Amino acid sequence: MRRTRRTRRFFAAAALALTALTTFTGAAVADDDDDSAEKAPTEAGTSFRTATAIEQDQKATASASTGDYLYWSFPADQGERPTVRATVELPGAQARHGAQTWRIDVYDGLRRRQSCMYGMQARAVAADAGRVGLACTLRTVRAWSEPWANDPLPGTYYVRLTVTGLADADLGLPVSTSIEANSKDMGGATAVDGSLSAPLVPGTAGTTDDHDWSSGWWTSRWLWTALGAVLAALAAIGGHTLTRGSGRPPRVPPTM
C-alpha cells in the first residue's frame, strides 16, 4: 500500500510540474495584443525613407493612383516566419483599357530583397477583374547569420506594392489597397547559437524603433531544456522511491 501511495504521489508531482511548465511556455511566447489595438494606418509611404510603419496583425489601408510605389514597414523577430498579404481594389472595368499585373516585394533592414518561400507574389488580372490579391511568405527569421549571407535577420522589413504591367492609358487611375503582415512562431527548433548585437532597424523616418519586440537571447529551447531536467529529476526520484522498499527490517517469526 505504501509503495502504491508513493507511486501516486510521484505521478501527481510529475503531472503538476508538466502542467506548470507548459503553462509558462504559453505565457512566455504569447503575443502582446496592446499594439494590435492601436488604430491601423490609412496611408502608405512612397519610398524606403517614408515607409509607413505598421505592427504585425494590423490591417493597413491606403488610397493611391495606379503606377504609384507604395511602401510599408513592419518588425519581425527571430524564430518568426512572416507572411505579407496585400489586396488591391481596382477601378471599374469600364474605366480600364486592359489587363494589369501587380507585385509585392519584401526587403530587410539593409534593403536586400528577400525571396518568398511560397505565395502569389505577382499576379496578372483581366481587364474586368475587380480586385487582385497577393501574398509572400518569407523564410524563418534567424538570430544570426554570416555577413555574406542573405538570411532574414531580426529587424525592420519593408513591403513595396506596385503595378508592373498595364496599358499606358490606365496610369493614374485611383485604387484602394490594404496590407497585413503576420507571423508563425516556428519555436526553438529554428534557434541558432549566436545573435546580432542589434536588430536591423535603420534610423530613418517612418520605421519602427528597436523596442521590446526583439527578444534577444531568449528562445523556447530554454523552457524545454528546463522541462527535460525537471522530468529527469522526477524520474530519478520516482525510481529510487519505487525500488528502495518500505525501509523497515523484515519481520522475524518468534522462536518457540
Side-chain angles (χ1 to χ4, degrees):
M1 289 295 294
R2 291 195 174 189
R3 182 171 299 182
T4 301
R5 287 197 294 270
R6 291 194 189 100
T7 303
R8 291 176 178 172
R9 286 197 298 268
F10 164 70
F11 284 111
L16 181 61
L18 180 61
T19 301
L21 279 173
T22 51
T23 301
F24 180 65
T25 301
V29 301
D31 292 331
D32 187 358
D33 294 333
D34 292 341
D35 291 336
S36 61
E38 298 177 0
K39 186 176 180 180
T42 56
E43 60 182 13
T46 56
S47 68
F48 285 105
R49 294 184 60 83
T50 61
T52 297
I54 63 174
E55 297 294 336
Q56 291 196 34
D57 301 321
Q58 277 188 330
K59 188 174 183 179
T61 58
S63 298
S65 298
T66 304
D68 290 345
Y69 284 85
L70 306 179
Y71 287 81
W72 295 267
S73 66
F74 68 93
D77 202 0
Q78 64 184 40
E80 295 180 346
R81 180 174 290 173
T83 296
V84 180
R85 295 180 177 86
T87 302
V88 182
E89 300 289 342
L90 301 171
Q94 67 278 6
R96 305 206 309 268
H97 298 81
Q100 296 184 2
T101 301
W102 287 79
R103 179 183 178 92
I104 56 170
D105 292 289
V106 184
Y107 299 81
D108 65 11
L110 299 179
R111 301 184 186 178
R112 303 176 301 181
R113 191 174 70 85
Q114 293 293 317
S115 59
C116 301
M117 291 182 59
Y118 47 84
M120 188 65 71
Q121 184 179 9
R123 174 172 286 178
V125 293
D128 59 350
R131 67 173 59 186
V132 56
L134 304 167
C136 174
T137 298
L138 301 180
R139 295 169 293 166
T140 302
V141 177
R142 293 167 53 87
W144 176 86
S145 178
E146 295 289 348
W148 46 262
N150 195 36
D151 295 322
L153 295 171
T156 296
Y157 283 78
Y158 297 95
V159 183
R160 183 176 70 186
L161 171 66
T162 191
V163 63
T164 60
L166 79 167
D168 290 342
D170 290 341
L171 283 172
L173 291 177
V175 293
S176 298
T177 66
S178 63
I179 191 165
E180 184 176 6
N182 48 60
S183 291
K184 179 180 180 181
D185 186 359
M186 304 307 294
T190 61
V192 296
D193 294 329
S195 62
L196 297 179
S197 58
L200 302 180
V201 183
T204 57
T207 59
T208 305
D209 295 332
D210 177 15
H211 51 76
D212 56 3
W213 60 261
S214 181
S215 60
W217 58 271
W218 174 260
T219 72
S220 61
R221 288 197 302 178
W222 290 99
L223 293 175
W224 294 111
T225 300
L227 174 61
V230 170
L231 292 180
L234 289 174
I237 295 172
H240 177 69
T241 301
L242 295 174
T243 57
R244 71 177 183 174
S246 63
R248 291 185 175 183
R251 300 181 63 183
V252 180
T255 57
M256 296 298 296

